């Protein structure tokens, strides 16, 4: 993770670019690069605090702040009215964790260790929870599409609609998903061998060797947490403000940027850890990171954003494009299929990566100007 420390130099460079060289493409690129080490620093500070407060409270900290960087970015985007970008980021985060990171973990771990084993109970609970989250997105999507079919005005790519019934349905579904997520945490703390607790593996026996002693004091951890959060807020504003000019210059849409790029920016540090522990043959911890992070995004972050959007007067719903819902459903099914037997190999990693690339190509061509048949 030393390289992330060196990347912190891009933080002041991004600020200088925003203030003195306001080229949208340059500001966007530098903001993305600068957010990567800050997200890693935020996660590290959270993990250090978790060690000080003990495994149970620490697990709760990681379960609520594990994706804090991405949550900050999406809240800033919500405030600016970039609802499509927020939804795309949610979709991309789940796809990235289930296909890209899990795929890389299985590939590199398998190349180094051959056949690797892990607890099937872990993946079974995760697969069920992820299917629940897909249902939570699918029902509002199908509901609104059917209403549009009845009215004769169907646009499967425009999900920013004003429908009081859809707003109420989304709030209800979001509330249910958050309750289920909280109950899953309680279950994980009571039965750690039967569920996924904190996405970073706090409380997992295989992680104790690496997490047995805090490197930072509580004041230092809180200070870094605060400074990193403030910096992420400013850089998120720079990034979101540059999205529209970048979209015009590159000829892609906000949906593609949200699905592919922004989730990587907010989660690179966590992704690196997931792949590293897989290469150390700790597959339970690796799966805990990738699957736990997916669950957190789908069952906590996305529903929380529905409620947070009420503060900005432009309500976000759980109405996703049909293409996004289909991609998420297939990703969950693929991830469950390769992990159902409690064994993994490098070929299964290749298969997940192939699905991610195919999905990414689909999003690229769907959102390229003119791809809608116009």
């Amino acid at each position: 993770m030393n390289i992330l420390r060196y990347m912190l130099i891009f933080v002041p460079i991004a600020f200088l670019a925003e203030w003195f060289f306001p080229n949208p493409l340059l500001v966007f690129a530098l903001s993305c690069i600068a957010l990567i080490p800050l997200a890693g620093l935020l996660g590290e500070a959270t993990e250090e605090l978790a060690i000080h407060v003990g495994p149970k409270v620490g697990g709760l900290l990681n379960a609520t702040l594990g994706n804090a960087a991405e949550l900050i970015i999406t809240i800033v985007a919500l405030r600016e009215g970039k609802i499509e970008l927020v939804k795309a980021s949610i979709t991309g985060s789940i796809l990235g964790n289930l296909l890209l990171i899990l795929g890389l973990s299985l590939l590199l771990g398998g190349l180094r260790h051959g056949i690797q084993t892990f607890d099937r109970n872990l993946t079974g609970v995760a697969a069920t929870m992820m299917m629940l989250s897909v249902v939570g997105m699918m029902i509002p999507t199908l509901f609104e599409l059917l209403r549009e079919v009845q009215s004769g005005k169907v646009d499967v790519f425009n999900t920013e609609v004003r429908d009081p019934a859809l707003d109420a349905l989304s709030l209800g579904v979001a509330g249910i998903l958050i309750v289920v997520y909280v109950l899953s945490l309680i279950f994980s703390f009571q039965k750690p061998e039967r569920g996924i607790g904190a996405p970073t593996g706090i409380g997992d026996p295989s992680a104790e060797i690496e997490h047995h002693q805090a490197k930072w004091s509580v004041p230092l951890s809180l200070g870094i947490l605060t400074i990193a959060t403030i910096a992420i807020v400013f850089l998120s504003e720079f990034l979101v403000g540059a999205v529209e000019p970048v979209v015009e210059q590159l000829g892609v849409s906000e949906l593609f940027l949200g699905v592919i790029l922004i989730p990587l920016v907010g989660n690179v540090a966590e992704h690196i850890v997931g792949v590293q522990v897989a290469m150390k043959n700790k597959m339970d911890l690796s799966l805990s990171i990738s699957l736990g992070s997916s669950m957190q995004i789908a069952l906590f972050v996305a529903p929380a954003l529905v409620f947070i959007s009420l503060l900005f007067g432009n309500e976000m719903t759980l109405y996703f494009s049909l293409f996004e819902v289909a991609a998420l459903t297939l990703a969950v099914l693929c991830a469950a299929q390769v992990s159902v037997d409690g064994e993994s190999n490098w070929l299964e990693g290749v298969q997940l990566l192939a699905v991610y690339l195919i999905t990414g190509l689909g999003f690229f061509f769907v959102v390229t100007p003119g791809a809608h048949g116009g």
Side-chain angles (χ1 to χ4, degrees), residues 37-60:
L38 284 173
L41 209 56
L42 192 67
E44 195 171 348
T46 302
E47 198 163 315
E48 290 293 314
L49 281 175
I51 297 171
H52 283 290
V53 297
K56 288 195 175 181
V57 179
L60 186 60

Side-chain angles (χ1 to χ4, degrees), residues 17-38:
E18 170 69 18
W19 293 336
F20 301 109
F21 306 98
N23 178 289
L25 197 55
L26 178 65
V27 170
F28 184 85
L30 289 173
S31 297
C32 285
I33 296 171
L35 280 166
I36 291 172
L38 284 173

Side-chain angles (χ1 to χ4, degrees), residues 2 33 37 41 48 55 106 120 122 126 216-217 235 241 281 291 294-295 302:
N2 285 335
I33 296 171
L41 209 56
E48 290 293 314
L106 299 185
R120 283 188 294 180
L122 189 77
W216 299 345
S217 65
L235 287 168
N281 207 23
L291 299 178
S294 299
M295 284 173 52

